[in-house]
């Protein structure tokens, strides 16, 4: 294997009212956000409201896609990517658990890479690879 270097800085913010207290950080990402979340939990626990309030505070437009299902399908990812493209979103926020976060990553790949082929291959048990 060829040698390589990998660097991925991560900033983690924690605490009460962390989203609204750090809303100014959102401006650096763009002017229109695409929120990817599930159907219920982010609404019930208030995190969606906190996020939209922070975006509004910064005058950032947003589109909410709240159809993420458990074990997301490629069709759902494609549907969301199509919406994101038509809405001309600048950045994506995955809100919720693993399905929302994984979906947000796949949606981002399809939005950003116009040439991406929308085929998915399953390998082993639950491991999936997006072939571009």
């Amino acid at each position: 294997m060829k040698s390589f270097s990998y660097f991925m800085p991560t900033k983690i913010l924690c605490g009460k009212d962390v989203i609204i207290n750090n809303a100014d950080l959102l401006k650096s990402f763009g002017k229109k956000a695409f929120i990817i979340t599930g159907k219920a939990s982010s609404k019930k626990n208030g995190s969606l409201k906190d996020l939209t309030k922070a975006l509004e505070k910064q005058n950032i437009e947003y589109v909410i896609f709240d159809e993420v299902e458990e074990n997301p399908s490629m069709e759902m990812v494609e549907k969301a990517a199509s919406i994101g493209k038509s809405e001309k979103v600048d950045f994506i926020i995955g809100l919720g658990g693993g399905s929302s976060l994984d979906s947000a990553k796949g949606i981002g790949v399809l939005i950003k890479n116009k040439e991406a082929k929308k085929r998915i291959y399953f390998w082993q048990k639950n491991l999936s690879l997006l072939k571009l």
Side-chain angles (χ1 to χ4, degrees), residues 32 34 36 63 65 77-90 92 107 111 114:
K32 191 168 188 180
F34 196 19
I36 308 300
V63 176
F65 182 84
V77 171
E78 290 173 350
K79 178 182 178 182
S82 178
I83 293 168
K85 286 177 185 179
S86 68
E87 289 285 341
K88 296 180 174 52
V89 297
D90 295 323
I92 297 173
I107 292 162
I111 289 173
K114 310 289 187 222

Side-chain angles (χ1 to χ4, degrees), residues 37-119:
T37 190
K39 295 176 176 142
S41 64
S42 67
K43 293 173 188 159
K44 288 180 184 174
N45 68 28
S47 59
L48 181 59
K49 183 178 179 182
D50 290 346
L51 178 57
T52 57
K53 185 178 174 182
L55 290 165
E56 289 166 2
K57 180 180 178 182
Q58 297 302 318
N59 296 314
I60 298 172
E61 292 182 61
Y62 59 86
V63 176
I64 299 171
F65 182 84
D66 60 359
E67 299 177 33
V68 175
E69 60 218 8
E70 190 174 321
N71 300 315
S73 67
M74 192 61 193
E75 291 76 24
M76 186 274 311
V77 171
E78 290 173 350
K79 178 182 178 182
S82 178
I83 293 168
K85 286 177 185 179
S86 68
E87 289 285 341
K88 296 180 174 52
V89 297
D90 295 323
F91 64 103
I92 297 173
I93 301 171
L95 182 63
S99 292
S100 294
L101 300 181
D102 289 345
S103 295
K105 290 181 261 184
I107 292 162
V109 167
L110 294 181
I111 289 173
K112 185 69 177 170
N113 298 287
K114 310 289 187 222
E115 309 299 316
K117 295 178 183 168
K118 300 169 191 160
R119 293 180 292 170

